[in-house]
């Protein structure tokens, strides 16, 4: 079980790095082509936007596992442990409900308008929209993992990066 | 009734710790179920529309630029350069802190990144030089508020997304307020340091060092200039400008400073991935919220109520400042921008305020929220760096935060401070 979770974590991490890398290189290349060689690809803007959308949905899924989502934690921090645990479970339940709605209605949306072809690239919009059901399935998976984590041992995720302040942090000695 | 239930639901969900994006999504879901379940068909469509934007690609790219520069040893070079700048005035690390924040803000576009990067070096250095820890931490967090005001600014990009205002004009709208906050904080720091004898004795510095520091610092300073010039003069879009900034940062890191390693690029990509998605998912779900507000005509109702109440315009503007300051104390910057702009911007426009002035006010006001308890992201970071209670750091920052409040009032009642520069663009 732990191996499976860490495997998915790693896959999403690599995917995320690749997506942001493609985004950066894609924008840089299109700028150079446009300003230096006067070549502009109409489709590049759309494709880069889709890469960006993919970073949002997959990153949000992994963010659930790595605790990176922005939330107001001050109130729960003051709660007794039992209530805190209840709030944690409720939080995950709400995330599962919203994700389930996203999956169900995004599939309906794909069925309805998915065959509409994008004028710039000729790609059916349904391929783009499929990012939603796929990423929200992963979101539900991580929400369940977070609930299980309250009752059994599940390995912590490997973030792989340091916070900025850790980069140059020095040990503070003395207090003037 | 349904709307009240939605707002009540949102507050309850936020209190129990549901991530802000999902809390907005859940309360929007509740509204749709109560009014017309048929609306649910549009649920994913609205979330999608909130994430599908070419202009906002600039956000992760600016974040990546900041990360690459941070891994390139930029922070130390920037501090050395700032030291050189304040030297003729006999300034010390207090002034260096403010000047570095002004320059760093032009690179990272984020106040939290500013506190992290500069604070981790400057707070220990200041303590070693005899500054009280409370003062060192206080000036660090207070000056880092400049980071999100001086362009480029990540929160401004988010505001541009919800308001439809021009990114280039918004960047210019933040320039004078950002410089004003910096200059007023600089004057106060100088006054306090001089009175309490914090300024160090001038040490001799050789010409070779001066030249090297100037070269390194100027190269870093080129970054914000490059971004502002390309975006505001319409040479490049915000996203293209951010792409150029990433390339510039990589060239500096790999070939000029020679401190950037490939492994660190991977880490920077991962961190950008996580930071950007945590903001954008809120942006996506906020579109449901924005749509509901438009359907219910909430801004129009508030505006009509205020106009019919015959409340003087100056008082409405003052209320705006107070609301922003209050919300900023317990909500993070981006969610707050995404939540309140769709409600308050149309209301303020009815009172003659432009979208650019509103943008400047909301950015300057919410920056203050980063250094006020209980939810102050910069306070949290500084607390980790120097192992101090956030309330203590806040007390240290308070005199400098007053500078921010003065600037907030100035830009609220003197529109030209935020609208004059953008008006030059035509």
């Amino acid at each position: 079980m732990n191996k499976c979770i860490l495997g998915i974590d790693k896959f999403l991490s690599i995917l995320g790095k690749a997506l942001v890398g493609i985004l950066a290189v894609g924008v840089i290349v299109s700028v150079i082509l446009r300003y230096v060689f006067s070549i502009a690809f109409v489709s590049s803007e759309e494709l880069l936007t889709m890469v960006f959308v993919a970073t949002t949905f997959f990153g949000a899924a992994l963010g659930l596992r790595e605790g990176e989502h922005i939330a107001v934690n001050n109130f729960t921090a003051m709660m007794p442990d039992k209530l805190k645990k209840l709030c944690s479970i409720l939080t995950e339940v709400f995330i599962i409900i919203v994700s389930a709605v996203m999956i169900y209605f995004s599939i309906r949306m794909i069925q309805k308008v998915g065959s509409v072809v994008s004028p710039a690239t000729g790609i059916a919009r349904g391929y783009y929209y499929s990012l939603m059901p796929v990423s929200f399935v992963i979101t539900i998976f991580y929400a369940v993992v977070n609930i299980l984590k309250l009752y059994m041992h599940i390995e912590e995720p490997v973030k792989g990066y340091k916070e900025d302040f850790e980069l140059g942090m020095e040990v503070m000695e003395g207090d003037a | 009734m349904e709307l009240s239930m939605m707002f009540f639901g949102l507050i309850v969900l936020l209190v129990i710790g549901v991530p802000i994006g999902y809390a907005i999504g859940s309360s929007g879901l509740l509204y749709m179920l109560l009014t017309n379940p048929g609306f649910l068909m549009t649920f994913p469509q609205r979330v999608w529309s909130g994430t599908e934007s070419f202009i906002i690609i600039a956000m992760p790219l600016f974040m990546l630029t900041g990360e690459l520069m941070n891994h390139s040893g930029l922070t130390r070079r920037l501090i050395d350069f700032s030291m050189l700048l304040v030297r003729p005035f006999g300034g010390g690390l207090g002034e260096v802190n403010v000047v570095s924040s002004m320059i760093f803000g032009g690179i990272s576009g984020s106040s939290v990144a500013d506190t992290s990067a500069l604070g981790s070096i400057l707070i220990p250095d200041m303590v070693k030089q005899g500054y009280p820890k409370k003062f060192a931490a206080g000036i660090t967090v207070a000056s880092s508020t400049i980071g999100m005001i001086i362009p480029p600014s990540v929160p401004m990009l988010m505001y541009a997304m919800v308001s439809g205002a021009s990114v280039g004009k918004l960047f210019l709208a933040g320039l004078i307020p950002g410089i004003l906050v910096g200059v007023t904080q600089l004057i106060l720091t100088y006054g306090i340091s001089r009175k309490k004898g914090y300024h160090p004795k001038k040490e001799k510095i050789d010409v070779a060092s001066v030249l090297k520091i100037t070269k390194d610092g100027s190269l870093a300073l080129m970054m914000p200039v490059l971004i502002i010039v390309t975006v505001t003069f319409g040479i490049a879009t915000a996203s293209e400008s951010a792409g150029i900034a990433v390339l510039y940062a990589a060239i500096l890191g790999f070939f000029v400073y020679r401190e950037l390693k490939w492994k660190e690029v991977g880490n920077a990509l991962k961190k950008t991935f996580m930071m950007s998605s945590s903001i954008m998912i809120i942006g996506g779900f906020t579109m449901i919220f924005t749509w509901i507000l438009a359907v219910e005509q909430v801004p129009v109702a508030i505006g009509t109520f205020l106009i019919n109440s015959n409340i003087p315009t100056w008082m409405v503007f003052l209320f705006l400042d107070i609301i922003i300051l209050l919300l900023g104390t317990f909500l993070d910057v981006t969610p707050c921008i995404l939540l309140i702009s769709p409600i308050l911007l149309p209301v303020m426009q009815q009172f003659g305020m432009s979208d650019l002035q509103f943008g400047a006010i909301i950015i300057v006001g919410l920056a203050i929220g980063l250094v006020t308890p209980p939810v102050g992201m910069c306070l949290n970071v500084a607390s980790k760096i120097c192992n101090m209670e956030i309330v203590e750091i806040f007390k240290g920052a308070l005199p400098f935060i007053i500078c921010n409040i003065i600037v907030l009032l100035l830009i609220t009642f003197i529109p030209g401070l935020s609208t004059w520069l953008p008006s030059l663009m035509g």
Side-chain angles (χ1 to χ4, degrees):
Chain A
M1 171 105 167
N2 268 314
K3 261 190 171 177
C4 166
I5 297 167
L6 291 175
I8 296 171
D9 291 353
K10 199 172 179 184
F11 170 73
L12 283 178
S13 277
I14 294 169
L15 178 70
K17 287 178 191 177
L19 288 171
V20 178
I22 292 168
L23 201 60
V25 173
V27 173
I28 292 166
V29 169
S30 58
V31 169
I32 292 172
L33 286 177
R34 197 173 133 196
Y35 291 100
V36 182
F37 300 102
S38 299
I39 302 168
F41 291 106
V42 191
S43 53
S44 66
E45 193 170 300
E46 180 181 311
L47 290 172
L48 287 170
T49 307
M50 288 311 128
V51 171
F52 177 53
V53 174
T55 63
T56 298
F57 286 123
F58 287 116
L62 186 60
L64 203 56
R65 166 86 169 125
E66 296 192 356
E68 288 292 326
H69 278 288
I70 303 169
V72 181
N73 293 319
N74 292 58
F75 300 103
T76 48
M78 289 185 288
M79 292 175 185
D81 284 348
K82 275 190 177 176
L83 194 58
K84 210 184 278 181
K85 198 172 178 179
L86 178 69
C87 286
S88 299
I89 295 169
L90 279 174
T91 294
E92 303 302 332
V93 169
F94 280 110
I95 291 171
I96 291 170
I97 293 170
V98 171
S99 303
V101 169
M102 281 297 292
I103 294 168
Y104 179 75
F105 287 100
S106 60
I107 291 172
R108 296 263 312 256
M109 183 175 152
I110 293 166
Q111 287 167 343
K112 214 172 170 184
V113 293
S115 57
V116 175
V117 173
S118 160
T121 56
I123 297 171
R125 299 282 300 173
Y127 289 111
Y128 298 149
Y129 295 147
S130 63
L131 285 170
M132 284 190 283
V134 174
S135 61
F136 278 96
V137 165
I138 304 171
T139 304
I140 291 183
F141 170 75
Y142 279 138
V144 173
V145 168
N146 285 348
I147 294 174
L148 291 176
K149 206 171 157 188
L150 296 169
Y151 298 97
M152 59 190 281
H153 172 72
I154 287 175
E155 294 276 339
E156 287 297 323
V158 184
K159 288 190 179 183
Y161 59 85
K162 285 182 178 175
E163 298 298 335
D164 288 340
F165 67 88
E166 290 171 312
L167 290 172
M169 192 126 109
E170 297 170 32
V171 180
M172 289 188 72
E173 286 174 359
D175 189 353
Chain B
M1 177 63 185
E2 291 86 0
L3 204 63
S4 313
M5 290 288 284
M6 182 183 85
F7 280 113
F8 179 71
L10 179 63
I11 292 166
V12 170
L13 293 171
L14 289 178
V15 167
I16 68 169
V18 177
I20 295 170
Y22 296 96
I24 297 168
S26 303
S27 52
L29 186 63
L30 176 70
Y31 171 88
M32 288 179 172
L33 285 171
L34 291 174
T35 48
N36 179 1
F39 286 155
L40 285 171
M41 268 307 285
T42 63
F43 195 88
Q45 190 189 326
R46 310 233 167 261
V47 178
W48 180 271
S49 69
T51 58
E52 188 186 18
S53 162
F54 182 70
I55 290 296
I56 305 300
I57 291 177
M59 180 188 64
L61 296 186
F62 281 136
M63 286 174 171
L64 184 60
T65 304
E67 286 299 312
L68 292 180
M69 291 296 254
N70 215 4
H71 284 280
S72 305
L74 165 90
T75 318
R76 176 52 79 185
R77 288 178 170 87
L78 212 56
I79 290 168
D80 290 344
F81 183 60
S82 304
M83 211 109 72
L84 213 58
L85 291 178
V86 303
R87 208 179 137 79
F89 311 100
L93 284 177
E95 290 83 356
V96 166
N97 208 321
V98 181
V99 174
S100 302
S101 286
M102 290 171 79
I103 304 173
F104 199 87
I107 292 165
S108 72
S110 154
S111 293
V112 181
D114 184 321
T115 308
S116 300
L118 294 175
S120 60
I121 294 175
L122 277 175
I123 297 175
D125 276 5
M126 286 178 79
V127 172
K128 273 182 210 157
Q129 276 203 7
Y131 284 88
K133 200 183 195 182
K134 197 162 117 180
F135 179 85
I139 181 69
T140 300
V141 292
S143 66
S144 66
T145 57
I146 306 165
M148 62 175 256
I149 306 171
I150 285 188
S153 160
V154 171
M156 264 188 194
L157 285 170
M158 300 313 290
Y159 172 72
M161 187 177 98
V162 283
S163 67
S166 145
V167 175
K169 286 186 176 180
L170 269 174
F171 278 2
L172 284 182
L175 195 56
I176 292 178
I179 291 171
L180 273 178
V181 173
V183 170
T184 48
Q185 286 189 351
L186 206 54
I187 293 168
L188 184 63
T189 310
Y190 187 80
I192 295 174
S193 301
R194 193 164 177 184
K195 194 179 169 194
K196 304 225 169 169
Y198 296 152
H199 285 143
K201 281 183 184 168
K202 249 190 192 177
E203 284 174 18
K204 279 192 175 176
I205 183 166
D206 58 274
V207 180
S209 302
V210 171
L211 289 175
K212 190 182 179 315
I213 292 169
T214 308
K215 187 195 101 184
D216 284 351
S218 308
L219 286 171
L221 200 58
M222 278 290 290
M223 173 83 78
V225 175
L226 189 77
I227 294 167
I228 296 169
V229 169
T230 52
V231 176
T232 52
F233 288 98
I235 299 166
T237 64
S239 310
E240 289 172 337
S241 169
I244 297 166
V246 172
L247 182 65
Y248 185 74
I251 291 171
L252 276 192
F254 279 121
F255 305 111
V256 181
Y257 296 159
R258 296 182 182 192
E259 284 190 31
L260 190 60
K261 306 277 182 295
W262 276 108
K263 193 186 170 214
E264 286 157 358
V265 174
N267 294 341
L269 290 172
K270 169 77 190 293
K271 198 170 171 192
T272 304
F273 174 54
M274 301 312 294
M275 287 193 299
S276 164
S277 59
S278 69
I279 291 176
M280 280 312 295
I281 198 68
I282 301 173
F285 282 114
T286 302
M287 285 301 140
I288 298 173
F289 191 73
T290 309
W291 175 75
I292 295 170
L293 293 175
V295 167
E296 293 280 348
Q297 296 192 312
V298 175
V300 177
I302 297 174
T304 310
F305 168 77
L306 288 174
I307 289 167
N308 290 343
S309 306
N310 288 323
I311 299 172
T313 305
W314 68 266
M315 206 179 269
V316 175
F317 287 3
L318 198 61
F319 276 139
L320 172 72
D321 286 352
I322 293 168
I323 290 169
I324 290 172
L325 288 175
L326 282 177
L327 285 174
T329 58
F330 68 90
L331 265 180
D332 200 8
V333 175
T334 307
C336 211
I337 289 173
L338 294 170
L339 279 172
I340 67 172
S341 301
I343 305 175
L344 295 181
L345 174 61
V347 174
M348 290 303 143
Q349 281 175 324
Q350 291 180 57
F351 284 89
M353 186 181 277
S354 73
D355 54 355
L356 295 176
Q357 191 190 356
F358 184 87
I361 290 172
I362 201 169
I363 298 291
V364 173
L366 290 177
I368 297 169
L370 287 171
V371 290
T372 50
V375 182
M377 295 288 278
C378 292
L379 283 179
N380 293 344
V381 172
S383 165
K384 281 185 194 169
I385 294 171
C386 63
N387 203 16
M388 265 176 94
E389 288 289 328
I390 58 168
V391 177
E392 284 303 303
I393 302 174
F394 172 66
K395 283 181 192 165
L398 201 54
F400 305 101
I401 296 171
I402 291 169
C403 298
N404 291 49
I405 294 174
I406 292 169
V407 174
L408 175 67
L409 290 171
L410 285 175
I411 59 170
T412 303
F413 295 105
I414 309 173
L417 289 174
S418 51
T419 57
W420 174 67
L421 269 183
S423 72
L424 298 179
M425 275 177 75

